[in-house]
Amino acid sequence: MITALGCACFAFGADRVVGANATLDIEPGARSAALGSATMAVDGDYLGLYSNPYQLANVRYAWASFSHTAYFEDTQYDFASAVLPLGLDQGLGIAFSRFGADDIPYIKEGEPIPEGSDYNTLSIADWTFSLAWGKKLFNRLDLGVSFHGLYRDMDQTGWGFRGDAGLRYRIVQEFYVAGFLKGWTSSAATWESGEFEYSSPEFYLAASYSLPVPYLYGKFSAYWQGAGMFHREARALDFEEDESQGGRLWDDPVDWLQGGRGGIEFAFDFGLSLRAGLGSFTSLQSVTAGAGLTIAKFLQVDYAFESHPVFSPVHRVSISVSPYLFSHNPRPEPARVSPAAASAVLAEEPEAAPGTEATAPADEATAPETLEGAPESETSDFSQPTQKSTEVGDEVLEGAPAGGTYWEED
């Protein structure tokens, strides 16, 4: 009782803010960034574990990924992640990042302005650590859960925490819809001064669709990610207005749709991918573009360009390496048969008539003869038409190929 009362008093004294631990919302991956940062809809971008943990359900090989982004005023964002398959239907991912700036000049209060470059400098940075897990629950449904910790080193230190969860469902072969609950634990941060902040949970929808284009030797994909559904959010990228413009779905569906983001991608079979997108459907000045190249089966490089109505453009580069594929060939895709399909196949199998015995396998006298020394795969396929061989000794039948054995179909 006392513990519950203490927690209630602590929560009552917390400050509700917008964007606590906002560093966790920065897009790290170049591929997703080139697609308008519609990360929740993109599969296979393992730098997007912040908002797409359910993609780990389909991890087949270990991958290590790195990205670097240079923002204005020498602000740097470095991100690294690693994913590991835990079997056919689940995977584990970890991620580290640093977002900050170094060599910032400062002058203590009361000190004179130094001459030249003889001044003190400081650094500010946010450090994050993430752990994510994904699993395929059914043939069409993927689950993902992630937890994030943040350490902030500024004029005072601070700690933050957030837990996320998401689901993705395959409607048809290449059409997916996803739901992502950001901050189901709430996104909380505490400061050295004793101040405590938190942000309420938010829910997002996303979708993706892919279509093979054999004529162009590749595949076309489209990605969409909606705005938050629980709260209004500011989406005025030009900063000319200081007001909330993001209507909720049930308040203003059109405004909510305009607050989304998305992109398109065409991946050629030889390893080149071309991408374009919008970081916000409310502004054409939020255009994004980029490309990706699979240099080898174990090495992928991606680049993204992101424009902004006010700030300078951002260039983002990321690289992914698979230690397993460096020394092994890709494994064949596992065959997946849905329970409904398996039941249909079993239902089509004929049943033996009452009072009769099942047909016994053919004995050696009736089985087709095989070539001596031939591989088993070439002699054991009884689904082919029954064939027989005619030994002719040294003579060759008219019209038969040379070699001593003549094959004809019954």
Side-chain angles (χ1 to χ4, degrees), residues 4-5 20 42 46 78 139 180 183 187 192 204 252 258 264 280 285 314 335 356 363 366 375 378 392 396:
L5 182 61
V42 180
Y46 300 129
D78 298 291
N139 191 42
F180 182 73
S187 186
E192 184 180 7
Y204 299 87
D252 192 339
Q258 291 177 346
I264 56 176
S280 174
Q285 294 177 298
V314 173
T356 62
D363 55 19
T366 59
E378 298 179 5
V392 296
V396 180

Side-chain angles (χ1 to χ4, degrees), residues 41 172-176 207-212 220-224 265:
V172 293
Q173 185 63 27
E174 295 290 342
F175 181 33
Y176 292 86
S208 65
Y209 178 72
S210 298
L211 177 67
F220 172 81
S221 301
Y223 307 92
W224 168 81
E265 175 184 47

Side-chain angles (χ1 to χ4, degrees), residues 292-327:
L293 181 63
T294 301
I295 299 177
K297 60 185 179 181
F298 60 90
L299 180 61
Q300 299 176 4
V301 178
D302 296 287
Y303 164 78
F305 167 84
E306 302 170 81
S307 63
H308 196 279
V310 178
F311 299 124
S312 58
V314 173
H315 302 271
R316 198 183 305 268
V317 178
S318 63
I319 182 173
S320 298
V321 180
S322 174
Y324 178 87
L325 292 179
F326 178 77
S327 56

Side-chain angles (χ1 to χ4, degrees), residues 258-274:
Q258 291 177 346
R261 58 186 64 178
I264 56 176
E265 175 184 47
F266 191 87
F268 292 95
D269 295 337
F270 56 84
L272 175 66
S273 298
L274 302 178

Side-chain angles (χ1 to χ4, degrees), residues 3-68:
T3 304
L5 182 61
C7 292
C9 294
F10 183 73
F12 182 78
D15 297 326
R16 180 178 177 181
V17 299
V18 176
N21 303 320
T23 302
L24 297 172
D25 298 330
I26 300 176
E27 176 58 58
R31 181 189 174 198
S32 294
L35 296 170
S37 294
T39 317
M40 299 174 193
V42 180
D43 190 25
D45 184 1
Y46 300 129
L47 290 166
L49 297 181
Y50 281 165
S51 56
N52 191 341
Y54 37 80
Q55 64 177 318
L56 294 173
N58 298 316
V59 171
R60 302 192 62 214
Y61 311 103
W63 284 91
S65 304
F66 311 90
S67 71
H68 172 77

Side-chain angles (χ1 to χ4, degrees), residues 199-273:
S199 295
S200 300
E202 184 58 281
F203 184 76
Y204 299 87
L205 291 175
S208 65
Y209 178 72
S210 298
L211 177 67
V213 187
Y215 182 78
L216 297 177
Y217 302 98
K219 182 171 69 172
F220 172 81
S221 301
Y223 307 92
W224 168 81
Q225 177 179 319
M229 298 183 64
F230 292 164
H231 311 287
R232 297 181 63 87
E233 58 185 50
R235 296 196 297 265
L237 297 181
D238 55 6
F239 301 102
E240 293 180 355
E241 299 180 1
D242 187 14
E243 61 182 20
S244 297
Q245 296 192 0
R248 294 176 295 183
L249 175 62
W250 49 86
D251 292 335
D252 192 339
V254 175
D255 188 40
W256 178 80
L257 288 173
Q258 291 177 346
R261 58 186 64 178
I264 56 176
E265 175 184 47
F266 191 87
F268 292 95
D269 295 337
F270 56 84
L272 175 66
S273 298

